[in-house]
Amino acid sequence: SEKVAEREEEPPSLPSPITFSYLPHGGPVHAVASSPLQRNLFASCGADGTLRLHNSAASAPLHSFEPSSSYLYSASFSP
């Protein structure tokens, strides 16, 4: 008599919720600021001279500003 090898079923492959990331700046990020009025809104700025406005639920920025061709060191929301 032959033994029938039991085939183990592999668990379904699901995407990890932890691997979510935002579109990166072209260099180091120097500042991140949260909106005091919209909890899902934040801004980031960095060495690439761009200020990006993000929705925390989307990987691409809502808008990207280029106010400088040099580094940006600070970002904040006006009260």
Side-chain angles (χ1 to χ4, degrees):
S1 79
E2 286 184 35
K3 283 190 172 182
V4 177
E6 289 185 35
R7 183 177 173 191
E8 290 186 32
E9 289 186 34
E10 292 185 25
S13 177
L14 300 174
S16 172
I18 300 173
T19 59
F20 181 82
S21 64
Y22 298 102
L23 186 67
H25 279 269
V29 173
H30 292 291
V32 174
S34 297
S35 170
L37 302 175
Q38 296 289 326
R39 70 180 194 173
N40 292 335
L41 194 64
F42 71 94
S44 64
C45 70
D48 60 357
T50 63
L51 174 87
R52 295 183 179 176
L53 190 61
H54 295 270
N55 178 331
S56 61
S59 61
L62 296 171
H63 195 73
S64 183
F65 304 92
E66 294 184 32
S68 174
S69 61
S70 185
Y71 294 174
L72 295 178
Y73 292 102
S74 180
S76 65
F77 285 88
S78 178

